[in-house]
Amino acid sequence: MRIGQLARSVGVDTQTVRFYEREGLLPPPDRQDNGYRVYTERHVERLAFIRRCRILELSLAEIHELQRYQTAPHQPCRAINTLLDDHITHVRSRITDLQVLEKQLVSLRASCNDDREIEACGVLDGLSEGNMQQ
Amino acid sequence: MRIGQLARSVGVDTQTVRFYEREGLLPPPDRQDNGYRVYTERHVERLAFIRRCRILELSLAEIHELQRYQTAPHQPCRAINTLLDDHITHVRSRITDLQVLEKQLVSLRASCNDDREIEACGVLDGLSEGNMQQ
DNA sequence: TAAAACCATATAGTCACTATAAGGTCAATA
DNA sequence: TATTGACCTTATAGTGACTATATGGTTTTA
């Protein structure tokens, strides 16, 4: 299978596939005589793994770490669970941050309506004066 | 006032101040004979405005747009409100995405405990098998 | 046979900084 | 006086995860 078919089958761009290879996330495949990359089912699985991790917004470094664990099947899996726990913590903290942000934005928005001149705009005023509760 | 004092007074790095100048967000200040930048109160206000916008996670492009509006004080301010509404929409949609993500991660995490071998790790298994509900 | 679709590499751009290198300026101290 | 330290300058590269572009070779299809 060539790079286009691999990419389509997993739903990424061919550029992204080459990028993952450069980053060491996807093993370099064999080449045809013309230099074209030839992929196997193993590559499809490996790329699909990366894609699923990315959908969960794991970083490439975290995916790398997971791949390293896969090469030591008889080690305890605590590190994997920890990695996921840390990621969950990260996601939750980002949600909290954004919820605070949303409140601030909504409150700022409430300080104006559409029928003013820019000079009197409550939003611009709120951004200009320092009465923001950090 | 020199760049260090300006930066400290607003809580950013001097590099960031120069970066904003290059990006056209902060007007180029006068220079001393030795080439040092000299800032005024106006610059402090301008930088503080940028900083407050950044705390609300407005992009530099959006901040630029707001600054353009400021130069036309008698135009109606609807565009400003719209910019903020769009940003609120963006933040809300990101929150929703992350909440979905969190559920998926927690469910994945529940499929394992710390006492297994990597080979049998529920988390790794969940990432490897394609039974993810997108 | 020619066009379309595919493949290759290399390089630059995105965003908002942050880090590093290499050097000039200035005031206070040894 | 020399030197240390804190400041300032510019230029360039790195971050993360791609995405876009340029340039050219190969294969497939009409």
Side-chain angles (χ1 to χ4, degrees):
Chain A
M1 164 188 341
R2 295 190 312 198
I3 196 169
Q5 197 186 337
L6 171 69
R8 265 190 308 278
S9 78
V10 175
V12 300
D13 195 273
T14 54
Q15 300 255 67
T16 304
V17 175
R18 291 190 200 99
F19 170 73
Y20 288 156
E21 181 182 331
R22 275 203 304 283
E23 295 293 302
L25 286 168
L26 204 57
D30 289 343
R31 301 281 185 137
Q32 290 177 353
D33 292 347
N34 57 16
Y36 286 14
R37 291 169 175 82
V38 190
Y39 293 97
T40 65
E41 255 330 291
R42 300 278 301 274
H43 287 97
V44 179
E45 283 161 33
R46 188 89 171 247
L47 182 56
F49 177 83
I50 297 170
R51 176 103 175 104
R52 281 190 289 270
C53 290
R54 288 297 299 138
I55 286 172
L56 296 174
E57 300 193 16
L58 292 165
S59 69
L60 299 193
E62 287 167 328
I63 297 171
H64 226 109
E65 202 178 328
L66 289 175
Q67 288 184 345
R68 279 201 304 281
Y69 294 140
Q70 284 178 314
T71 65
H74 294 295
Q75 294 295 113
C77 76
R78 184 163 325 163
I80 293 172
N81 292 316
T82 301
L83 188 155
L84 206 68
D85 286 338
D86 290 349
H87 187 52
I88 290 172
T89 300
H90 168 75
V91 169
R92 283 184 176 148
S93 117
R94 183 65 182 143
I95 290 173
T96 306
D97 289 351
L98 286 177
Q99 283 168 340
V100 170
L101 203 56
E102 193 212 334
K103 277 204 198 359
Q104 290 178 343
L105 289 166
V106 167
S107 135
L108 181 62
R109 179 63 179 87
S111 69
C112 195
N113 53 52
D114 288 356
D115 304 321
R116 302 190 192 170
E117 289 190 353
I118 282 174
E119 207 172 32
C121 175
V123 167
L124 211 50
D125 200 54
L127 288 168
S128 300
E129 303 304 320
N131 37 342
M132 260 175 69
Q133 65 276 30
Q134 259 295 22
Chain B
M1 160 188 341
R2 295 189 312 200
I3 197 168
Q5 199 188 335
L6 171 69
R8 264 190 310 278
S9 79
V10 175
V12 302
D13 195 273
T14 55
Q15 300 254 66
T16 304
V17 175
R18 291 190 200 99
F19 170 72
Y20 288 155
E21 181 182 330
R22 275 202 304 284
E23 295 293 302
L25 286 168
L26 204 57
D30 288 344
R31 301 281 184 136
Q32 290 177 354
D33 291 348
N34 57 17
Y36 287 15
R37 291 170 176 82
V38 190
Y39 293 98
T40 66
E41 255 331 289
R42 301 280 300 274
H43 288 98
V44 179
E45 283 162 32
R46 189 86 172 250
L47 182 57
F49 177 84
I50 297 171
R51 176 107 174 100
R52 281 190 288 270
C53 290
R54 288 296 301 138
I55 286 171
L56 297 174
E57 299 194 17
L58 292 165
S59 69
L60 299 193
E62 286 168 328
I63 298 171
H64 226 110
E65 203 177 328
L66 289 175
Q67 289 184 345
R68 276 200 306 280
Y69 294 140
Q70 284 177 315
T71 66
H74 294 295
Q75 294 296 112
C77 77
R78 184 163 325 161
I80 293 173
N81 292 315
T82 301
L83 188 155
L84 205 68
D85 285 338
D86 289 351
H87 188 53
I88 290 172
T89 300
H90 168 74
V91 169
R92 285 186 175 145
S93 118
R94 183 66 183 143
I95 290 173
T96 306
D97 289 352
L98 286 177
Q99 283 168 339
V100 170
L101 202 56
E102 192 214 334
K103 277 205 194 7
Q104 289 178 343
L105 289 166
V106 167
S107 137
L108 181 61
R109 179 63 180 86
S111 70
C112 195
N113 53 53
D114 287 356
D115 305 321
R116 303 189 190 171
E117 289 190 351
I118 282 174
E119 206 172 34
C121 174
V123 167
L124 210 52
D125 201 53
L127 288 168
S128 300
E129 303 301 321
N131 36 343
M132 260 175 66
Q133 63 277 27
Q134 259 294 26

